Amino acid sequence: MSFLEKPVPGRLLLDDTVPLTAVIEASQNLQSHTEYIIRVQRGVSSDNSWQVIRRYSDFDVLNSSLMVCGISLPLPPKKLIGNMDREFIAERQRGLQTYLDSITQHPVLCSSLTVKKFLDPNNYSANYTEIALQQVSMFFRSDPKWEVLEPLRDMGWRIRKKYFLIKNKEQPKERYLLSWVDLGPDKFLSDKDLQSAMKLLTGLSTPYLCPLLFSSTSESSALLIRPFSERGSLRDHICKVKPRESYLKKYCNPKKSQGLELPHVKLYGRQILEGLKLLHDGGVVFGHLHASNVIVDEGVCRLTDVENGMLGVPSALRPAFTQLRKINTTESIDVFCFGHLLYEMTYGRPPDSVPVDQFPDAPYTAVVPVLQSILSTEACKSRMPTVSQLIQSPLFSDVPLQHSEKLQIKVPSRLKEALKTAKESLEKRLHEEQRLLHQHRRLTRAQSHHGSEEERKRRKILARKKSRQSAYENEEDASVRNNNNSGSGASSPPTCPSSPTPPSTTGKSVCPLTCLISLTSICLSSHQSVCLSVCQVKPSTLPGLHCV
């Protein structure tokens, strides 16, 4: 695929943030090994599923590639003798299922290319590093002043984004970061508007946004150059790791991660909020705020990868905020991401899940109310606070800023309208995904309730009650029929209730049911009860009731 290659018409851009789930459906023994049949599903729709067949040796290779993360994963041990026994295979299958659950539910491992390729080889078999090298080589042939120093392999979590350390031959001591990225499913700007937007970002010079020095876009990808920070991102600073290392090694299980001091939490938080406000006021879609997209340069936090929203790549936290239907605008997404980041700056690690109602003992009590206003269950069910409201909160309102002048992004009116339309399309896709997820959760809860032990007992009790009621009614009907047929002579059919028998001229009320029953063979009281049951009348409405 060349740099200017057009995408295949009708090609659906894949959202790599949609989680994959995997269930081992069965196993089959071949001559010398066992194969496990795995049902993999993307998202909540069972229609979007497929089967892959894997041997134990495939699991072992996968586990070896993930050992760099420093986490002890529950892969069942090898066994050389007796590994074809039925009981052993069943036990191993349960162990492999536990292993799959542990990697598909881990927030970092689940996005690994190794895991994606293991579960979805059809969509992740391409060599993305080789493709990126081809694109970069073509670009350097057209602009020879740049030179690649080294590829930064697996520095970021995105599968379709690759990084290179480069230099400008005219400034040999300076280092720059070149990134190549595929356009994503949220790309709603036309090619012309996207080029205008990238040109706008390249010309920006504001204190809270990392400068973009060069950008070039095609119909399928983009190439970007910006300054390289040797100190790394804010997450590198929190985890105390080297920025050039693999992200699995850096972030899966950091040993020395530590939260920031309160003055830094306040200062960095206020500067990040100022950057968000600047983007919101200019109508620029972001949605990609997290600790790895913040660069700390001489005490100033700068947002980077601002172009992601325009390029259509999905947010790293999309699986989290898609679960929450009240987070349905790009502004509320940024606030939600800020709460996530503030939690990480405070505790030295991101939250395990959101909403969060029980916060750990915070070193700074002033931070907790802000976290609660964003990440608690009540906050996630209502509206997020705005960026301006967060700036006015006691935690950030008294933070002094070096740049007191009012900052703004001047966006041309035509581009502003295009950005607004793209924003609406992005939110529409989010709403639809949230709706489908909500329907799936309701169906899952209903199925779970229907199959629960308590519900099965309740249905059994209702069935027994219904059976007893039906038996009682059948007995009553049989008794009535027997009574009607027990009189002397031919039996007379009961009079239809809609055509009652005319009243007797003797002045006594006659039962509407014509019964030819001898008064000496049955007591009046019991016969009266039968009459009342069949005729469905109350004794108070038939004074002097007697039967003929």
Side-chain angles (χ1 to χ4, degrees):
M1 182 172 62
S2 66
F3 185 62
L4 297 178
E5 179 184 358
K6 294 183 179 181
V8 178
R11 172 193 173 202
L12 179 64
L13 299 177
L14 197 63
D15 188 343
D16 296 322
T17 65
V18 177
L20 301 180
T21 54
V23 176
I24 303 178
E25 294 184 321
S27 61
Q28 56 187 14
N29 289 337
L30 300 183
Q31 292 181 350
S32 60
H33 64 273
T34 302
E35 291 182 338
Y36 298 93
I37 303 172
I38 307 172
R39 172 66 61 180
V40 185
Q41 180 174 312
R42 176 178 287 106
V44 299
S45 174
S46 58
D47 296 334
N48 195 2
S49 65
W50 59 93
Q51 281 185 341
V52 292
I53 297 177
R54 295 287 183 248
R55 299 171 54 174
Y56 176 81
S57 58
D58 298 323
F59 281 90
D60 189 49
V61 171
L62 171 65
N63 191 65
S64 297
S65 65
L66 296 178
M67 289 182 65
V68 67
C69 70
I71 300 175
S72 179
L73 298 171
L75 180 69
K78 296 180 179 180
K79 185 176 182 180
L80 300 179
I81 301 175
N83 58 6
M84 301 293 286
D85 295 341
R86 181 181 301 176
E87 293 80 5
F88 171 75
I89 292 174
E91 181 182 356
R92 171 172 279 184
Q93 180 173 327
R94 290 190 292 270
L96 292 177
Q97 183 63 62
T98 301
Y99 177 79
L100 285 176
D101 293 341
S102 67
I103 61 176
T104 55
Q105 296 172 10
H106 192 280
V108 179
L109 291 180
C110 68
S111 61
S112 165
L113 176 59
T114 307
V115 174
K116 298 279 191 182
K117 187 183 297 185
F118 181 84
L119 297 175
D120 187 6
N122 290 336
N123 285 306
Y124 294 97
S125 58
N127 188 332
Y128 296 101
T129 301
E130 183 63 28
I131 294 173
L133 282 170
Q134 293 176 7
Q135 309 295 335
V136 173
S137 298
M138 291 184 62
F139 164 70
F140 283 161
R141 283 201 295 267
S142 62
D143 194 348
K145 71 178 180 180
W146 298 99
E147 179 182 343
V148 175
L149 298 177
E150 62 174 302
L152 301 175
R153 300 183 183 276
D154 301 323
M155 189 180 77
W157 68 274
R158 289 192 184 277
I159 294 173
R160 306 169 197 275
K161 188 171 188 177
K162 299 302 175 182
Y163 297 93
F164 302 87
L165 188 66
I166 65 173
K167 71 175 182 179
N168 188 330
K169 295 178 182 179
E170 299 173 358
Q171 299 173 315
K173 293 185 179 181
E174 297 294 329
R175 297 294 178 263
Y176 300 91
L177 181 68
L178 182 148
S179 59
W180 172 88
V181 60
D182 256 346
L183 303 184
D186 285 328
K187 188 256 182 183
F188 296 108
L189 288 173
S190 66
D191 294 338
K192 182 178 180 180
D193 290 331
L194 177 59
Q195 292 175 1
S196 299
M198 300 304 294
K199 183 178 179 180
L200 172 70
L201 293 181
T202 305
L204 282 181
S205 178
T206 60
Y208 304 122
L209 302 181
C210 186
L212 183 63
L213 304 179
F214 175 85
S215 66
S216 177
T217 60
S218 72
E219 294 181 348
S220 61
S221 58
L223 186 147
L224 311 127
I225 298 177
R226 53 173 41 96
F228 177 71
S229 174
E230 292 289 348
R231 296 181 180 181
S233 66
L234 179 58
R235 178 162 291 159
D236 294 330
H237 180 62
I238 292 173
C239 296
K240 296 179 172 54
V241 294
K242 298 179 180 178
R244 302 190 192 188
E245 292 180 340
S246 162
Y247 82 99
L248 288 179
K249 183 178 180 180
K250 291 190 296 184
Y251 304 140
C252 269
N253 189 26
K255 304 295 184 181
K256 300 178 181 179
S257 61
Q258 185 178 0
L260 306 179
E261 298 291 335
L262 181 59
H264 288 133
V265 172
K266 291 168 63 72
L267 177 62
Y268 294 170
R270 176 62 186 271
Q271 291 172 345
I272 292 169
L273 289 172
E274 292 291 338
L276 290 178
K277 187 175 186 302
L278 179 64
L279 294 175
H280 291 181
D281 292 345
V284 178
V285 175
F286 187 30
H288 293 263
L289 176 63
H290 54 80
S292 293
N293 279 351
V294 177
I295 301 297
V296 182
D297 184 15
E298 297 181 354
V300 178
C301 277
R302 304 180 189 273
L303 306 183
T304 187
D305 285 2
V306 173
E307 71 280 353
N308 279 355
M310 301 174 181
L311 299 176
V313 295
S315 171
L317 294 179
R318 185 179 180 86
F321 61 71
T322 304
Q323 307 280 337
L324 307 168
R325 301 189 74 181
K326 290 297 183 180
I327 303 178
N328 50 21
T329 64
T330 57
E331 292 82 5
S332 61
I333 290 173
D334 284 335
V335 172
F336 175 81
C337 293
F338 176 78
H340 225 265
L341 174 56
L342 182 61
Y343 188 104
E344 188 171 352
M345 288 194 295
T346 303
Y347 295 105
R349 66 183 189 279
D352 295 328
S353 62
V354 179
V356 182
D357 289 320
Q358 296 295 328
F359 291 87
D361 292 337
Y364 324 113
T365 56
V367 180
V368 175
V370 180
L371 291 174
Q372 289 175 333
S373 70
I374 302 173
L375 301 180
S376 66
T377 299
E378 182 180 355
C380 292
K381 287 184 177 181
S382 58
R383 290 188 177 275
M384 295 279 109
T386 64
V387 169
S388 297
Q389 289 171 340
L390 290 173
I391 291 176
Q392 297 299 324
S393 67
L395 182 63
F396 301 115
S397 60
D398 60 347
V399 175
L401 298 175
Q402 296 179 0
H403 306 275
S404 57
E405 68 275 11
K406 184 178 180 180
L407 304 175
Q408 61 178 345
I409 300 177
K410 296 181 179 180
V411 183
S413 57
R414 183 182 182 281
L415 179 58
K416 181 176 291 187
E417 190 63 30
L419 290 172
K420 180 180 178 182
T421 302
K423 172 181 178 295
E424 292 171 351
S425 299
L426 187 151
E427 292 173 349
K428 182 179 179 180
R429 188 175 93 87
L430 175 62
H431 296 170
E432 180 63 20
E433 190 171 336
Q434 289 176 329
R435 184 186 66 81
L436 294 176
L437 187 59
H438 179 68
Q439 289 180 348
H440 173 74
R441 282 203 300 259
R442 290 182 60 184
L443 179 61
T444 301
R445 285 196 299 265
Q447 291 174 341
S448 176
H449 176 68
H450 187 74
S452 64
E453 184 66 25
E454 180 181 351
E455 179 63 13
R456 284 198 296 267
K457 289 180 179 178
R458 190 185 72 84
R459 291 199 299 269
K460 287 181 180 179
I461 294 173
L462 289 178
R464 286 197 295 267
K465 287 183 177 180
K466 187 175 181 180
S467 178
R468 286 196 298 266
Q469 180 69 20
S470 178
Y472 174 77
E473 291 176 354
N474 290 339
E475 271 183 30
E476 195 173 62
D477 291 343
S479 173
V480 171
R481 288 195 298 270
N482 291 336
N483 290 338
N484 290 341
N485 296 331
S486 61
S488 57
S491 61
S492 300
T495 305
C496 177
S498 61
S499 303
T501 304
S504 171
T505 56
T506 60
K508 296 182 179 180
S509 299
V510 179
C511 176
L513 181 63
T514 305
C515 301
L516 301 178
I517 302 175
S518 174
L519 296 179
T520 59
S521 64
I522 185 168
C523 70
L524 180 60
S525 61
S526 64
H527 178 59
Q528 177 177 328
S529 66
V530 173
C531 295
L532 296 179
S533 174
V534 176
C535 300
Q536 298 183 355
V537 294
K538 297 181 180 180
S540 59
T541 63
L542 297 173
L545 176 67
H546 75 284
C547 296
V548 297

